[in-house]
Amino acid sequence: MAGGITETGEPYSPFVGLVYMFNLIVGTGALTMPRAFATAGWVVSVTLISFLAFMSYMTTTFVIEAMAAANAQLRWKRREQEEVDDSESTSDYSDDEVIIRGRSEPLEARPILSVQRGVSVDHFDIVERVEMGQMASMFFNKVGVNMFYICIIVYLYGDLAIYAAAVPISLMEVACGNHSCSAGSVNYNDTESCWGPVRRKDAYRVFLSIFTLLLGPFTFFNAQKTKYLQILTSLMRWIAFSMMIILALIRIGKGTGEGHPPMAQFSGIPNLFGVCVYSFMCQHSLPSLVTPISDKKRVGVLVLADYVLILAFYVLLSFTAIFCFNSALLRDMYTLNFTDNCDVLDIPALRYFLGLFPVFTISTNFPIIAVTLRNNWKTLFHRDGGTYPWVVDRVVFPLITLVPPILVAFCTHDLESLVGITGAYAGTGIQYIIPAFLVFLSRRHLEPVFGRDVVNKHRSPFRHTFWVAFVLLWAISCLMFVTANIILTETKH
């Protein structure tokens, strides 16, 4: 995310690309979605999440088009340099001019087809992994590049705060919850006792401190997720999700489901919007996902299939949850509804597995996100040709990466609000505003070079400028709506 052009990585088939994309999108946000569905009503929720899935798919196609445009521009720059080098060695003309059909013309003014020398090259092939930061530097001005990095940084801070709160919450619920099958579903208060004089919120802070001490030091070094760790965490995640859906369906099938969700409750819409935006987030990781795909001819169909599958999965997970459990008792982290409700799951080992599975999956992601955020800070303040002093590089940047999200997690563990705010603000920037500007400005950059006759084979189906304007208008409207709702809610309190 912070870098520019990197190694493509080992190629894989379109099907593997579909699986990777599915795994990337379906993460922590999915666990907060059932409660968001319950508070907004099932009709409103299905309508909104379907529309947001469509919007996210549209901006994903924008990013893929911008990736192809970035690859084309890089090839053009290289071809331009080759022409300059050739003209220096074979003619007496100036560095800036070549002869085309008997006339002198500036190199950058020529259509790209005039320098192909009869060789058929598709300049819009996506073969180099150009990260979003590099695309921003290619197509945005300096202010735009800085705004891009600020948006990414705010989003990653939100990500880390969510992770830092989710792990201690899960540990607290497992340690302090009821596992005796004697009480069923209980809505606990933070001030209630956990171990003797130790309250639940004290236990939460103890676990947060341990989490910080164990995983915080990774921020000072480089961390990356190995292939085998990815496979293990993905396997755990799908076992857990499958278990939750099947167990909820069994309870509903028996007629013992407790859920009677409302059809519509408009007060829950702002938070549902943020949760859904967060849960469809993948735009910032598309370069590393799409570039290694070996056959990109049908990449548009692949992405559409992924979004349809993910939408169906989210609706299935949330519907089984809101009809299985009483809406008032649905937790911020859906897995916790299974840890102390023995009517749904009466096998202690499996209840512990569901309660603790977010701990393992999130803990493996935290160091990687932290290192990514640290690198983005470095890039934002990067000086050409300059290096940072050792203290700034190894101490200051890791500390400004780690401390704010941990402080936020100490102050609140309201996961639904953390996900909602992160999605509604930074998520809107990354998912809507940045892709819209990237595709619009990449078209403007390349049209003078390539002309109107050369078509980007990866261009978005939503190629009309109307769609770019629509996405930007939608993003601005959403930001205003969510902000107004937060202000009105706080005023009432």
Side-chain angles (χ1 to χ4, degrees):
M1 218 178 294
I5 305 159
T6 54
E7 292 296 323
T8 302
E10 189 178 335
Y12 43 72
S13 69
F15 177 76
V16 173
L18 183 142
V19 173
Y20 280 173
M21 191 173 190
F22 195 103
N23 278 338
L24 174 81
I25 296 176
V26 178
T28 316
L31 297 177
T32 62
M33 196 169 282
R35 181 173 166 82
F37 259 62
T39 53
W42 65 270
V43 172
V44 169
S45 297
V46 170
T47 305
L48 184 61
I49 194 175
S50 300
F51 180 71
L52 292 177
F54 164 73
M55 293 295 289
S56 184
Y57 165 70
M58 188 196 307
T59 57
T60 297
T61 65
F62 285 173
V63 175
I64 292 171
E65 180 180 334
M67 287 165 55
N71 271 261
Q73 179 155 313
L74 290 170
R75 283 192 192 87
W76 165 243
K77 292 289 185 186
R78 277 196 290 271
R79 173 70 69 177
E80 186 181 60
Q81 188 59 49
E82 287 172 11
E83 289 293 311
V84 171
D85 293 342
D86 288 350
S87 66
E88 285 177 348
S89 60
T90 60
S91 73
D92 296 324
Y93 293 105
S94 69
D95 289 346
D96 297 320
E97 295 184 342
V98 294
I99 294 296
I100 301 178
R101 293 181 184 175
R103 73 180 188 276
S104 177
E105 190 171 313
L107 190 62
E108 54 278 341
R110 292 176 292 138
I112 195 163
L113 293 183
S114 67
V115 295
Q116 292 309 303
R117 299 177 179 177
V119 178
S120 177
V121 177
D122 192 332
H123 288 267
F124 291 95
D125 269 337
I126 301 173
V127 294
E128 291 184 74
R129 193 170 84 195
V130 187
E131 299 289 358
M132 279 188 88
Q134 178 68 7
M135 284 191 275
S137 65
M138 290 169 75
F139 303 127
F140 294 173
N141 60 21
K142 189 173 182 180
V143 174
V145 172
N146 287 337
M147 292 302 293
F148 164 81
Y149 278 106
I150 288 169
C151 188
I152 287 285
I153 285 167
V154 171
Y155 172 74
L156 292 175
Y157 268 134
D159 237 4
L160 289 178
I162 291 162
Y163 287 3
V167 170
I169 284 175
S170 297
L171 291 170
M172 175 192 73
E173 292 292 349
V174 169
C176 306
N178 164 59
H179 305 286
S180 63
C181 291
S182 59
S185 293
V186 180
N187 227 344
Y188 291 107
N189 191 298
D190 279 352
T191 57
E192 290 180 15
S193 172
C194 178
W195 315 301
V198 179
R199 297 170 299 175
R200 287 170 60 84
K201 69 177 181 181
D202 297 328
Y204 166 79
R205 287 172 179 167
V206 168
F207 285 126
L208 176 56
S209 301
I210 294 169
F211 174 83
T212 306
L213 289 172
L214 289 177
L215 294 179
F218 286 100
T219 312
F220 295 82
F221 309 100
N222 286 321
Q224 62 180 18
K225 201 170 183 178
T226 66
K227 179 181 178 180
Y228 298 107
L229 198 56
Q230 283 181 335
I231 292 169
L232 177 63
T233 53
S234 294
L235 187 64
M236 286 182 64
R237 179 165 51 199
W238 288 113
I239 290 171
F241 278 129
S242 301
M243 279 177 60
M244 289 187 288
I245 290 171
I246 292 167
L247 289 167
L249 283 171
I250 290 170
R251 192 184 196 197
I252 294 168
K254 288 179 178 177
T256 56
E258 298 174 353
H260 303 285
M263 289 181 65
Q265 202 164 310
F266 294 103
S267 60
I269 290 178
N271 196 65
L272 176 68
F273 166 75
V275 169
C276 290
V277 169
Y278 184 82
S279 299
F280 280 114
M281 187 68 67
C282 71
Q283 283 75 4
H284 57 300
S285 299
L286 282 173
S288 57
L289 276 174
V290 173
T291 309
I293 294 175
S294 54
D295 181 7
K296 301 183 184 71
K297 288 179 184 176
R298 303 178 67 81
V299 72
V301 177
L302 176 91
V303 171
L304 178 60
D306 245 326
Y307 270 94
V308 171
L309 288 171
I310 291 162
L311 175 62
F313 171 77
Y314 282 161
V315 170
L316 178 63
L317 179 72
S318 299
F319 260 60
T320 54
I322 61 178
F323 285 99
C324 176
F325 296 100
N326 185 331
S327 296
L329 296 175
L330 272 171
R331 307 286 186 88
D332 286 351
M333 182 88 73
Y334 180 46
T335 48
L336 300 176
N337 280 93
F338 295 87
T339 59
D340 59 2
N341 192 322
C342 301
D343 293 336
V344 181
L345 182 59
D346 59 0
I347 304 171
L350 294 181
R351 293 208 308 277
Y352 278 112
F353 169 75
L354 285 178
L356 292 173
F357 117 85
V359 174
F360 301 119
T361 56
I362 290 172
S363 295
T364 57
N365 283 335
F366 186 89
I368 293 119
I369 301 293
V371 169
T372 304
L373 174 54
R374 184 197 69 194
N375 291 341
N376 275 281
W377 270 121
K378 290 180 181 180
T379 305
L380 180 63
F381 292 109
H382 179 67
R383 297 163 297 172
D384 290 334
T387 57
Y388 296 109
W390 185 89
V391 173
V392 174
D393 187 52
R394 294 300 181 89
V395 179
V396 175
F397 280 124
L399 284 178
I400 63 173
T401 296
L402 185 63
V403 172
I406 298 299
L407 287 177
V408 169
F410 261 103
C411 295
T412 180
H413 57 73
D414 185 352
L415 270 183
E416 193 182 18
S417 294
L418 285 173
V419 171
I421 290 170
T422 301
Y425 287 97
T428 296
I430 295 170
Q431 195 164 138
Y432 301 139
I433 297 173
I434 290 171
F437 276 115
L438 273 178
V439 77
F440 179 72
L441 293 173
S442 67
R443 290 168 184 171
R444 287 186 60 183
H445 271 74
L446 293 184
E447 192 174 296
V449 176
F450 288 84
R452 291 181 178 271
D453 297 331
V454 181
V455 177
N456 184 341
K457 68 178 182 181
H458 292 295
R459 69 179 177 175
S460 169
F462 311 95
R463 59 182 65 96
H464 199 281
T465 309
F466 162 79
W467 291 109
V468 175
F470 177 70
V471 168
L472 291 173
L473 185 64
W474 166 254
I476 293 166
S477 302
C478 289
L479 287 174
M480 291 171 63
F481 174 66
V482 170
T483 304
N485 180 75
I486 290 171
I487 292 169
L488 290 172
T489 305
E490 291 300 317
T491 305
K492 285 178 184 178
H493 290 312

